[in-house]
């Protein structure tokens, strides 16, 4: 059974790097018809919060990731860790250490003074320190010789000399197990076949492998993913913009578009840029993941998002729009929403932009571009609007075709090009000169609001005339 896991610490939000790790682990498992598990590493009780747990679980749920087994919480596995500690003790793979903080600090300073890497010197190895003796920790006996060889699916073969590592603390003096020990126990007890994680964990891997082997368990296969950088080539962080997955949800990106973009941050399948989730599962291979950092490019994300908009069915896009819309939508508005979405989807990169563009059509008020107003709402336009107002008022069929014919009639009668009337008309009715065809635009706004806004524009121009005079 191929089994992967995603194991975040609930000390903050689910960031983009974590999303890519979860995505690659999930895709690999699904491609191999295996299982994907979620483990919450919440042993750091001082920093772990329920709010962060909820944020992670909700973020993964929005993206469509579901653990194939109940979520595992490290905080509920203390019995398992104690059993593993007893196993190491009974097999002479660990020992108690009662070195004082003062001794360890002195040792550290001496090693640094010599230009050596700070490491524990094994002072308490072989000492018979009892359970009831003074405050102590438990240390793992790291092998003194040999190498740890990692055949990483992304990085290739990596070797570590065991002499680089000291005897790691695996249980603190307060009785709580430490990170590397818990991870080693969890990965084996959960029968994880492949560990997919960021390469910031690479230095932990040889320590975990030594613990796993000391426990007599099978070592998983590892794949360490390179970091994601911002466009300044520094590690992606808050200063680069939205980095929490829920930020992207609020900004109106669909899960499919976001996952498509993130999947391509270090992985490729030929020259293909756009993928459905099913295609990602079909083609994903950890062997095609780059070992170099990738750059998060918001412009590329916007392009991918827009392409997904164009590929979405009308029904799905309308449904997504309605879910994202900040106010309740009447069932009577669905036809109008469907028409709006079909005429505007090419003009928006995400749902947030689509909703912003919908304001003039679903609100009694508009926000006008002042530059466009000064350019188009001028005295020469007033007479055109007065004539057009009469034609539009007389229309019995308020649809795109008849509206366009009325606009054309006025432009011909007044001897002006269609654009010379249509552009000011857009500014008057929706606040901007950028919109779909003038017929579709006015049809969407509705007859009552269109006539009112044209009249408001006439009054606005007349007021300008009065101020000039």
């Amino acid at each position: 059974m191929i089994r992967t896991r995603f194991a975040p610490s609930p000390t903050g939000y689910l960031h983009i790097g974590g999303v890519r790790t979860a995505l690659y682990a999930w895709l690999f498992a699904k491609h191999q018809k295996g299982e994907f598990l979620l483990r919450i590493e919440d042993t750091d009780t001082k920093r772990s919060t329920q709010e962060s747990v909820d944020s992670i679980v909700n973020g993964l749920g929005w993206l469509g990731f579901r653990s194939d087994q109940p979520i595992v919480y490290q905080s509920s596995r203390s019995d398992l860790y104690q059993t593993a500690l007893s196993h190491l003790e009974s097999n002479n793979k660990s020992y108690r250490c009662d070195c004082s903080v003062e001794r360890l600090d002195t040792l550290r300073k001496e090693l640094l003074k010599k230009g050596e890497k700070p490491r524990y010197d094994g002072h308490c190895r072989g000492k018979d320190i009892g359970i009831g003796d003074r405050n102590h920790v438990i240390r793992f006996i790291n092998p003194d010789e040999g190498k740890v060889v990692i055949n990483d699916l992304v990085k290739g073969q990596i070797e570590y000399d065991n002499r680089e590592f000291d005897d790691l603390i695996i249980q603190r003096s307060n009785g709580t197990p430490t990170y590397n020990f818990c991870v080693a126990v969890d990965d084996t007890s959960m029968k994880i076949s492949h560990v997919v994680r960021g390469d910031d964990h690479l230095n932990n891997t040889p320590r975990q492998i030594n613990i796993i082997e000391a426990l007599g368990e099978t070592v998983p296969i590892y794949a360490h993913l390179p970091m994601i950088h911002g466009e300044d080539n520094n590690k992606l962080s808050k200063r680069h913009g939205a980095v929490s997955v829920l930020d992207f949800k609020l900004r109106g990106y669909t899960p499919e578009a976001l996952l498509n973009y993130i999947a391509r941050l270090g992985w490729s399948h030929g020259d293909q840029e756009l993928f459905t989730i099913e295609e990602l599962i079909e083609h994903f291979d950890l062997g095609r993941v780059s070992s170099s950092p990738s750059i998060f490019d918001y412009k590329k994300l916007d392009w991918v998002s827009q392409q997904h908009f164009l590929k979405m069915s009308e029904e799905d896009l309308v449904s997504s729009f309605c879910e994202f819309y900040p106010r309740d939508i009447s069932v009577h508005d669905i036809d109008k929403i469907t028409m709006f979405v079909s005429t505007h989807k090419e003009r928006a990169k995400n749902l947030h932009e689509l909703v912003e563009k919908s304001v003039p059509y679903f609100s009694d008020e508009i926000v006008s571009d002042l530059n466009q107003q000064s350019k188009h709402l001028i005295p020469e336009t007033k007479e055109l609007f007065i004539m057009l107002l009469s034609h539009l008022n007389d229309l019995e069929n308020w649809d795109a075709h008849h509206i366009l014919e009325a606009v054309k009639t006025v432009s011909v009668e007044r001897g002006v090009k269609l654009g010379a009337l249509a552009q000011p008309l857009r500014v008057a009715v929706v606040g901007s000169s950028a919109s779909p065809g003038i017929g579709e635009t006015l049809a969407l706004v509705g007859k009552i609001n269109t006539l009112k806004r044209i009249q408001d524009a006439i009054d606005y121009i007349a007021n300008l005339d009065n101020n000039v005079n």
Side-chain angles (χ1 to χ4, degrees):
M1 169 67 75
I2 297 297
R3 183 176 286 165
T4 64
R5 51 71 162 178
F6 178 55
S9 298
T11 56
Y13 49 75
L14 176 61
H15 56 78
I16 288 300
V19 170
R20 189 186 63 172
T21 298
L23 174 62
Y24 283 10
W26 183 81
L27 289 174
F28 180 77
K30 297 308 170 185
H31 178 79
Q32 302 283 350
K33 303 293 190 287
E35 291 185 339
F36 168 81
L37 308 185
L38 175 61
R39 181 173 77 227
I40 303 295
E41 299 189 336
D42 57 349
T43 53
D44 187 346
T45 55
K46 290 183 178 180
R47 298 176 61 217
S48 298
T49 66
Q50 186 59 45
E51 181 182 6
S52 293
V53 172
D54 294 341
S55 174
I56 291 168
V57 173
N58 292 339
L60 292 174
W62 175 66
L63 293 169
F65 299 151
R66 298 288 187 277
S67 182
D68 292 314
Q69 292 189 18
I71 298 173
V72 170
Y73 292 86
Q74 282 187 335
S75 58
S76 65
R77 294 163 69 82
S78 57
D79 289 347
L80 185 68
Y81 303 138
Q82 289 304 314
T83 299
L85 284 166
S86 297
H87 177 90
L88 292 178
E89 181 181 20
S90 62
N91 286 277
N92 296 316
K93 299 292 185 180
S94 67
Y95 61 92
R96 296 183 184 88
C97 169
D98 63 359
C99 287
S100 66
V101 174
E102 291 76 18
R103 181 185 184 279
L104 295 175
D105 188 51
T106 299
L107 175 64
R108 177 179 177 277
K109 289 177 180 177
E110 288 176 352
L111 289 171
L112 287 173
K113 190 175 182 179
K114 294 178 183 178
E116 297 179 18
K117 177 182 177 181
R119 60 200 312 276
Y120 183 63
D121 59 358
H123 177 74
C124 288
R125 267 201 199 190
K127 291 176 65 175
D128 188 18
I129 299 173
I131 296 177
D133 291 346
R134 76 176 195 171
N135 223 18
H136 66 269
V137 299
I138 297 179
R139 291 183 181 271
F140 171 68
I141 300 178
N142 195 77
D144 292 324
E145 55 187 25
K147 295 180 181 294
V148 178
V149 180
I150 305 170
N151 292 307
D152 194 276
L153 295 180
V154 175
K155 301 286 186 179
Q157 183 171 298
I158 308 170
E159 294 187 1
Y160 293 89
D161 193 318
N162 274 319
R163 288 174 296 183
E164 296 179 29
F165 307 111
D166 59 1
D167 291 346
L168 179 73
I169 294 175
I170 55 177
Q171 180 175 282
R172 302 178 184 90
S173 59
N174 64 4
T176 60
T178 58
Y179 171 78
N180 279 303
F181 175 71
C182 291
V183 171
V185 173
D186 288 334
D187 283 342
T188 54
S189 67
M190 294 170 68
K191 301 188 184 305
I192 301 301
S193 66
H194 293 74
V195 173
V196 181
R197 60 187 177 191
D199 62 8
D200 53 333
H201 289 281
L202 190 55
N203 289 334
N204 293 324
T205 303
R207 291 184 177 277
Q208 292 170 13
I209 288 175
N210 282 338
I211 293 172
I212 290 170
E213 291 181 338
L215 289 169
E217 300 289 351
T218 302
V219 176
I221 298 170
Y222 292 91
H224 289 90
L225 310 176
M227 294 291 99
I228 299 175
H229 289 177
E231 293 183 70
D232 58 0
N233 214 31
N234 290 314
K235 184 179 177 181
L236 194 67
S237 64
K238 286 183 178 180
R239 69 177 180 276
H240 295 108
V243 290
S244 164
V245 65
L246 294 179
D247 287 341
F248 288 92
K249 179 182 180 181
L250 293 173
R251 290 172 62 172
Y253 294 99
T254 63
E256 296 79 9
L258 185 60
L259 291 178
N260 181 164
Y261 177 70
I262 292 175
R264 291 284 288 109
L265 287 176
W267 171 83
S268 64
H269 177 68
D271 295 328
Q272 187 172 345
E273 292 280 0
L274 302 174
F275 295 85
T276 63
I277 297 299
E278 293 73 23
E279 287 174 327
L280 288 173
I281 292 173
E282 178 184 356
H283 298 303
F284 187 77
D285 178 8
L286 282 169
R288 297 187 66 85
V289 174
S290 171
S291 60
S292 301
S294 50
I295 303 297
F296 196 95
D297 183 347
Y298 283 92
K299 291 181 181 177
K300 186 63 177 290
L301 170 61
D302 285 340
W303 179 83
V304 170
S305 178
Q306 189 169 50
Q307 297 308 305
H308 273 265
F309 260 24
L310 299 177
K311 287 177 173 289
M312 287 177 73
S313 69
E314 186 175 90
E315 181 180 359
D316 287 344
L317 190 50
V318 168
S319 176
S320 296
F321 176 89
C322 291
E323 289 179 11
F324 192 80
Y325 200 75
R327 295 185 294 276
D328 291 336
I329 294 176
S330 168
V331 291
H332 303 295
D333 291 330
I334 296 300
D335 288 343
K336 184 175 180 179
I337 290 171
T338 301
M339 183 178 177
F340 167 77
V341 165
S342 66
T343 56
H344 284 75
K345 63 182 180 180
E346 296 184 4
R347 299 171 179 272
K349 297 183 286 292
N350 52 58
L351 291 169
H352 185 269
E353 282 193 6
L354 200 59
V355 167
E356 280 191 332
K357 291 180 183 298
S358 75
V359 171
Y361 305 99
F362 296 94
S363 171
D364 291 335
E365 297 182 4
I366 60 173
V367 178
S368 296
D369 183 318
L370 297 180
N371 289 331
Q372 295 291 328
Q373 273 190 339
S374 62
K375 179 180 179 181
H376 292 288
L377 301 188
I378 56 179
E380 293 82 355
T381 307
K382 184 173 70 171
E383 296 304 319
L384 294 174
F385 280 179
I386 291 172
M387 180 179 290
L388 179 62
L389 194 61
S390 176
H391 281 72
L392 294 177
N393 189 55
D394 291 340
L395 283 183
E396 294 182 3
N397 296 314
W398 190 261
D399 56 45
H401 170 72
H402 288 90
I403 293 169
L404 179 57
E405 288 304 310
V407 176
K408 285 180 177 179
T409 297
V410 172
S411 67
V412 170
E413 290 180 357
R414 299 294 298 185
V416 299
K417 293 182 178 179
L418 181 61
L421 175 55
Q423 290 297 80
L425 187 54
R426 287 186 172 93
V427 174
V429 176
V430 296
S432 170
S433 60
S435 79
I438 195 63
E440 288 84 356
T441 299
L442 270 58
L444 271 170
V445 170
K447 186 172 184 177
I448 294 175
N449 278 338
T450 295
L451 298 180
K452 179 182 180 301
R453 291 173 187 177
I454 294 174
Q455 184 60 58
D456 288 344
I458 293 171
D459 295 341
Y460 170 82
I461 297 170
N463 188 52
L464 289 178
D465 289 341
N466 293 333
N467 289 337
V468 171
N469 295 332

